Amino acid sequence: WDLSVSSSESDFAVTCTAGQLALRRVAVERSRGAVDASVGCSLIIDRSRLRDNSRAALRMDTNVRYLVVNSLIAGNGAGFSVVERSSMIDLVIDLASALRGNRFAYNTVVQNQGGVVCRPGQVLSTSILTSPQGGRVVPDPSCAVESCFTGADSAPQLDSQFRLTENSTGCIDQAGAGAMDKDAPTDYLGTPRPQRRGADIGFHELR
């Protein structure tokens, strides 16, 4: 990895308050929270890893411009309280931006203990979105979910590094055929998309 970030001293290991912040090949792990973007931030997360943070992996305010692609978001949210869980505010991903044109695509979101919410007009696409029991991954009806794989963590049949296998038939070639995606022409490991008839769902493109 080009950069690894961890912090036990603040609510979030990485914060963006204004201007552009680009996290490419960055691992944010074992912190209280991973990434927080405030009003005025333009955020890019590409080929990065947000893992094993005790609370939120990604939180943003309104009027944040974002592009989140090719990233692994796994094992977050174990530190939410019983009250937070019963009130359904145990949010691992909170895409509160109201701006149009944002993208959350080709990500693998697995083994988290909390939900995903977003504002109307935000789209989660071509991503694996699973949870331990297969429920309450994206409970917010405001989120548009397109060409995603949802269900229990075991359902996509990933390997120990959360990559696709030949048994991941619900994800292979399921992100759509056609021209190369300009925002995600390669996967997390740099493999060009697509490798077969169509691009694969998630952060990993199976060769």
Side-chain angles (χ1 to χ4, degrees):
W1 294 100
D2 295 339
L3 178 65
S4 181
V5 179
S6 180
S7 172
S8 60
E9 302 298 323
S10 58
D11 286 343
F12 286 90
V14 177
T15 59
C16 176
T17 56
Q20 185 179 85
L21 174 65
L23 302 177
R24 291 188 171 93
R25 293 191 56 79
V26 173
V28 187
E29 301 174 319
R30 295 179 296 278
S31 298
R32 180 173 168 83
V35 180
D36 181 47
S38 300
V39 174
C41 173
S42 180
L43 176 66
I44 298 172
I45 301 177
D46 180 17
R47 289 176 294 163
S48 291
R49 189 171 67 206
L50 311 181
R51 283 199 65 183
D52 302 323
N53 299 285
S54 64
R55 295 175 65 82
L58 177 59
R59 186 183 72 180
M60 60 185 64
D61 290 328
T62 59
N63 299 321
V64 170
R65 183 73 63 193
Y66 66 85
L67 172 68
V68 181
V69 293
N70 290 330
S71 294
L72 173 65
I73 302 174
N76 303 286
F80 286 117
S81 70
V82 173
V83 172
E84 287 171 319
R85 295 194 191 285
S86 63
S87 301
M88 296 186 72
I89 57 174
D90 52 332
L91 304 178
V92 170
I93 299 175
D94 185 358
L95 304 178
S97 176
L99 299 180
R100 303 283 176 163
N102 292 321
R103 288 199 73 190
F104 184 98
Y106 295 107
N107 300 300
T108 296
V109 181
V110 294
Q111 295 186 5
N112 297 292
Q113 298 182 45
V116 178
V117 297
C118 64
R119 288 285 188 90
Q122 307 305 298
V123 179
L124 309 177
S125 68
T126 58
S127 295
I128 297 173
L129 305 167
T130 65
S131 68
Q133 287 77 40
R136 204 182 161 263
V137 183
V138 189
D140 187 353
S142 300
C143 294
V145 178
E146 299 178 352
S147 300
C148 288
F149 184 97
T150 61
D153 284 330
S154 60
Q157 301 195 51
L158 309 176
D159 70 11
S160 62
Q161 300 299 312
F162 307 108
R163 297 170 300 194
L164 299 178
T165 67
E166 291 292 347
N167 294 322
S168 306
T169 55
C171 301
I172 297 170
D173 295 342
Q174 299 302 308
M180 180 176 61
D181 191 305
K182 65 180 179 60
D183 291 325
T186 63
D187 75 352
Y188 176 82
L189 299 173
T191 303
R193 286 191 177 95
Q195 286 289 299
R196 305 186 186 189
R197 291 181 294 108
D200 300 338
I201 291 173
F203 82 137
H204 173 240
E205 182 77 11
L206 190 64
R207 290 181 180 271

